[in-house]
Amino acid sequence: RVTEPLTPPSGVSSQAPDGLGLPRPPGALRRYLQRHPWVTDTLVAAAYVLVAAIFVVIAAVAPGAPALGLVVAMTVAGAAVVALRRRFPVAMFALANVLLIAGAAVGTAVEIFLPLITVYAIGVYRSTRTAWLSFTGGAVAAALASVVGVVWAPNALIEPATTGGGALPLAVNGAITGIAVLLIATLIGTNVGSRNRYVAALVERAAQLARERDAQAEIARGLERERIAREMHDVIAHSLSVMIALSEGARAAAPEHPENAQRAMERAADTGRRTLGEVRRMLGTVRDGDSPPERAPQPAISDLAALIADVQGAGLPVTVTTRGTPHADPSLELTVYRVVQESLTNTLRHGSRVSRARVALDWGDDAVTVTVSDDGALPTASSPTVGRGLIGMRERVALFGGELTAGPGPARGWKVSAHIPLDRNSP
């Protein structure tokens, strides 16, 4: 796989899509070449052809010069190796070694650059392991080319070794020199490639962290929206149920007891104003702007008396039984309050022929039990028995590892029971 440049195209901001501000590399020419790697490949191939042309001219005038067509074909093949080294580095390295041995056989020397260029490309565009494996094969090819060049030496470019004593030292020196130069090219290529891969990994990791950050923020926003929706349901459903009950009572009492109707309407207006304030507070937590939202304390057990008074004012007598001492845990108190509020709201909205409701709070050492029941008629098949409020209650209780059940009472009416275990390490 060819490594893509890490810089954005021209005219595009360096601000990455994931919010990464990547610096622009210095130099307009360098940025252009990074965006158009084919230009670099073409220039390098042209430079190789130019150097090869010089060697061709020298070989042509030397004694025992090889056929011009063969030299031109090898030059074209070498230019192709240089041009394609970025896309097919391993294959081009193998072809470069073949051309190196062939060049040693025919007496040209320009092919010695091809293994160096291609092994460098392997180190940059492939793994370090692949580069060193290629170096091993290249070392063998370099030694073989040295032996072939010394033994055959077809023209004056290579010193002939007709005597038996001078061939081996010359071949060994040529092999050592070729392997040493190949080693340097491999070290440079692997160093540049490792640095590029390391930078690319850092950029990818930073992009991944940015994506995870955005995902976590989106999850947090979703949880916050769900929390606000649950709170608004609890507040609005309860308040509207109370206001409807008070309004119906005021309408029924208006002909004969106008003073009772007036008091009921006043309580309905107070409930509406209080509900409007709570809704404004909750919506203020998600509004945009620099000003901090207005915040008020969440309901607690101390507010349960006002809740019961509202329900009783709506015409539903409520009996409250408390055993034990409430625990000083705001989250737990809010959960207990919301369970009682939603249960009584459902009784007002869906209860039929209800004369009394009972609320029992058992604050134990290991758990809190909340029971809300009424003596009304059982709901019919068409009555809504499962809604958002019941789901919200179960979610609140489940946050503490508790369990909530809702269904017909033992004799008649409806019963909601929540069992909330306590954390002994909590205050």
Side-chain angles (χ1 to χ4, degrees):
R1 182 176 61 88
V2 179
T3 303
E4 297 295 336
L6 301 178
T7 53
S10 177
V12 179
S13 172
S14 61
Q15 189 72 16
D18 292 315
L20 303 177
L22 299 179
R24 293 167 63 89
L29 179 60
R30 180 179 177 183
R31 292 195 297 270
Y32 178 81
L33 294 178
Q34 283 183 333
R35 291 191 299 269
H36 305 87
W38 63 270
V39 176
T40 303
D41 296 340
T42 303
L43 293 176
V44 175
Y48 173 80
V49 171
L50 180 61
V51 175
I54 298 175
F55 278 81
V56 168
V57 172
I58 296 175
V61 299
L68 182 61
L70 177 60
V71 175
V72 171
M74 293 180 61
T75 302
V76 173
V81 167
V82 174
L84 297 177
R85 77 194 187 285
R86 188 190 304 265
R87 185 172 297 275
F88 309 106
V90 177
M92 293 302 103
F93 178 74
L95 181 56
N97 286 289
V98 172
L99 292 175
L100 174 65
I101 298 174
V106 300
T108 59
V110 69
E111 291 81 10
I112 62 176
F113 298 109
L114 296 179
L116 307 181
I117 297 174
T118 50
V119 78
Y120 171 85
I122 293 176
V124 173
Y125 304 116
R126 291 295 184 266
S127 65
T128 301
R129 179 175 179 270
T130 304
W132 286 111
L133 289 176
S134 301
F135 166 77
T136 303
V140 175
L144 182 59
S146 178
V147 172
V148 170
V150 169
V151 172
W152 288 356
N155 57 42
L157 288 180
I158 302 177
E159 180 69 22
T162 57
T163 60
L168 182 60
L170 188 60
V172 172
N173 291 336
I176 292 176
T177 302
I179 294 174
V181 176
L182 189 67
L183 175 62
I184 295 174
T186 305
L187 289 172
I188 296 176
T190 54
N191 180 64
V192 174
S194 298
R195 183 177 62 85
N196 290 346
R197 287 186 286 271
Y198 180 72
V199 172
L202 290 180
V203 172
E204 176 59 28
R205 178 57 177 164
Q208 180 183 358
L209 291 176
R211 290 191 294 268
E212 292 177 357
R213 175 202 62 199
D214 296 339
Q216 291 295 332
E218 185 62 29
I219 292 174
R221 285 192 293 267
L223 293 176
E224 182 66 11
R225 286 193 294 267
E226 178 64 24
R227 184 192 68 81
I228 293 173
R230 187 167 55 239
E231 293 288 338
M232 291 187 65
H233 173 272
D234 293 341
V235 171
I236 295 176
H238 169 75
S239 301
L240 287 179
S241 299
V242 171
M243 292 169 65
I244 291 172
L246 288 172
S247 300
E248 290 178 348
R251 182 184 61 181
E256 299 181 1
H257 304 283
E259 65 282 357
N260 292 340
Q262 182 178 2
R263 284 195 297 270
M265 294 308 298
E266 289 176 354
R267 292 179 65 91
D270 292 340
T271 302
R273 282 191 291 268
R274 186 171 64 252
T275 303
L276 182 60
E278 292 189 30
V279 170
R280 285 176 175 173
R281 172 181 59 81
M282 286 185 288
L283 293 180
T285 61
V286 293
R287 68 182 181 182
D288 296 330
D290 298 331
S291 58
E294 298 179 1
R295 300 185 181 272
Q298 291 277 25
I301 293 300
S302 58
D303 300 308
L304 203 56
L307 173 67
I308 300 300
D310 287 343
V311 176
Q312 290 177 336
L316 176 63
V318 181
T319 301
V320 180
T321 303
T322 303
R323 196 176 91 179
T325 303
H327 300 275
D329 185 346
S331 299
L332 178 62
E333 292 187 12
L334 175 62
T335 299
V336 172
Y337 180 92
R338 293 305 188 196
V339 170
V340 175
Q341 182 187 48
E342 181 63 27
S343 301
L344 293 178
T345 299
N346 288 338
T347 300
L348 284 174
R349 294 174 60 187
H350 307 302
S352 176
R353 299 192 298 275
V354 179
S355 62
R356 181 171 296 278
R358 297 176 179 84
V359 177
L361 304 177
D362 186 359
W363 299 87
D365 295 333
D366 299 326
V368 178
T369 302
V370 182
T371 304
V372 181
S373 59
D374 60 65
D375 58 357
L378 291 177
T380 61
S382 60
S383 300
T385 57
V386 178
R388 186 179 182 88
L390 186 59
I391 295 175
M393 284 193 292
R394 284 201 173 103
E395 289 178 352
R396 290 181 183 275
V397 174
L399 290 176
F400 291 86
E403 187 176 339
L404 183 138
T405 59
R412 54 176 299 174
W414 193 259
K415 179 180 178 181
V416 176
S417 179
H419 181 78
I420 308 174
L422 299 178
D423 185 0
R424 293 181 180 273
N425 296 325
S426 63

